[in-house]
Amino acid sequence: MLAVLAIGLVLVVEGLAFALAPSRMEDIVALIARLPVEVRRLLGLAMLAVGVGLVWLARQMGAI
């Protein structure tokens, strides 16, 4: 059930970004495409670490 909530929240944030600034999102996607694979991998790992940290924090605060 929490997975459904998490996916829903991600879709809300992604949808909001595309709805409010679609042309800016195109620029961001083009910028990411120009980055070397190693940099994209590091960005992905950093986002993963931040996500795990936020989930841990939410658990510590009793949200989960």
Side-chain angles (χ1 to χ4, degrees), residues 5-22:
L5 174 63
I7 292 170
L9 290 172
V10 168
L11 291 174
V12 166
V13 171
E14 292 285 334
L16 187 61
F18 277 105
L20 295 178

Side-chain angles (χ1 to χ4, degrees), residues 13-44:
V13 171
E14 292 285 334
L16 187 61
F18 277 105
L20 295 178
S23 61
R24 183 68 180 136
M25 291 302 293
E26 289 177 9
D27 297 340
I28 292 170
V29 170
L31 174 68
I32 292 171
R34 288 193 303 265
L35 292 174
V37 173
E38 297 82 18
V39 173
R40 285 184 274 177
R41 183 171 290 118
L42 285 174
L43 285 172

Side-chain angles (χ1 to χ4, degrees), residues 40-60:
R40 285 184 274 177
R41 183 171 290 118
L42 285 174
L43 285 172
L45 288 171
M47 290 187 292
L48 175 66
V50 169
V52 168
L54 289 173
V55 169
W56 176 83
L57 182 62
R59 288 186 58 124
Q60 294 301 310

